[in-house]
Amino acid sequence: MQLHPFPKIAIETKTTTAQSKQLDLSQPQIMGILNVTPDSFSDGGKFNSVENALAHCEQMLQQGATIIDIGGESTRPNASPVTEDEECSRVVPVVEAIRQQFGEELWLSIDTSSPKVIEQAVQAGADIWNDVRALTRTGAPQMAAKLDIPVVLMHMRGEPTTMNAKASYQNVLQEVIAELKQRINCAQQAGIKSSNIIIDPGFGFAKNYDHHKTLLNQLSELHQLQLPILFGISRKRFLGEVLNRTDLPAFSEHQATDRDGVGMAAALLAFQQGASIVRTHNVGLTMQGLALWQQLNS
């Protein structure tokens, strides 16, 4: 496995008071997951009130998160879609409350594919557009260019209801890179600045066990795209499959949270290969592993 340095770049945006702020991606950054949904895979219904969302956000910040990723629509396999109005009603009040309570310096990411949702969320104080569909919805590239904010382009095929049937590749690494290039080109043609683009290989989306192993082993190959990498494997099915393939009786029947240990190990492999951002449900555990890794490499 290749040890790859972090890119010497930062992402930048303006706050609601028109002040500029930067996030240094030459240092590892932790993105804490805040699902304000009733049906997300591992935490649906836990944080879909403003009060619970604020409490969980505070906990993740205390544990070391520098970005909070707020999602109002589940993208787990076979998840039911929600209307844009419903997604806005879940996300926007939480953005407003977090921004009011924790100030302008905190980075807020919105996990959505909807131009309407991201526009309203940015007006409420959001900073980053994290799109699992890589701006493929009508008007999405134009909206990202208009808002002039950092955007995460994730690799996926199909929709959550169809993606598992599309997990067929001759060479998963080459095809993921090629398909990300297509989305990057579309974004740039719409007027999105290269300095605003982050890529995500899409662990858990249209990929099987062997595809995940290949991508995790060769994550550093994505640096040929010369863009910062977001790594999101937290509590994904692949980690459960890893546990199920062990000879440890304790993992014969496991909960999603039991995947956090192996997920932390995967995050460290990603950091070792130069991933700039790790997206995780368990910020505390990920930070513990990162602390050890940083001490060993200091």
Side-chain angles (χ1 to χ4, degrees), residues 167-207:
S168 177
Y169 304 86
Q170 294 296 316
N171 184 310
V172 65
L173 180 64
Q174 290 180 7
E175 291 176 57
V176 166
I177 290 173
E179 289 167 29
L180 280 172
K181 282 182 179 178
Q182 292 175 356
R183 299 313 308 152
I184 293 164
N185 289 338
C186 287
Q188 292 171 332
Q189 289 170 10
I192 299 169
K193 297 181 293 190
S194 296
S195 59
N196 270 346
I197 299 175
I198 300 164
I199 55 170
D200 178 347
F203 285 88
F205 292 82
K207 296 164 189 78

Side-chain angles (χ1 to χ4, degrees), residues 7 9-11 25 194-200 223 225-230 274-277:
I9 57 176
I11 53 173
L25 297 183
S194 296
S195 59
N196 270 346
I197 299 175
I198 300 164
I199 55 170
D200 178 347
H223 287 290
L225 297 173
Q226 299 184 311
L227 293 168
I229 298 168
L230 185 150
S276 295
I277 303 169

Side-chain angles (χ1 to χ4, degrees), residues 23 25 121 163 206 233:
L23 185 65
L25 297 183
M163 62 185 178
I233 206 170

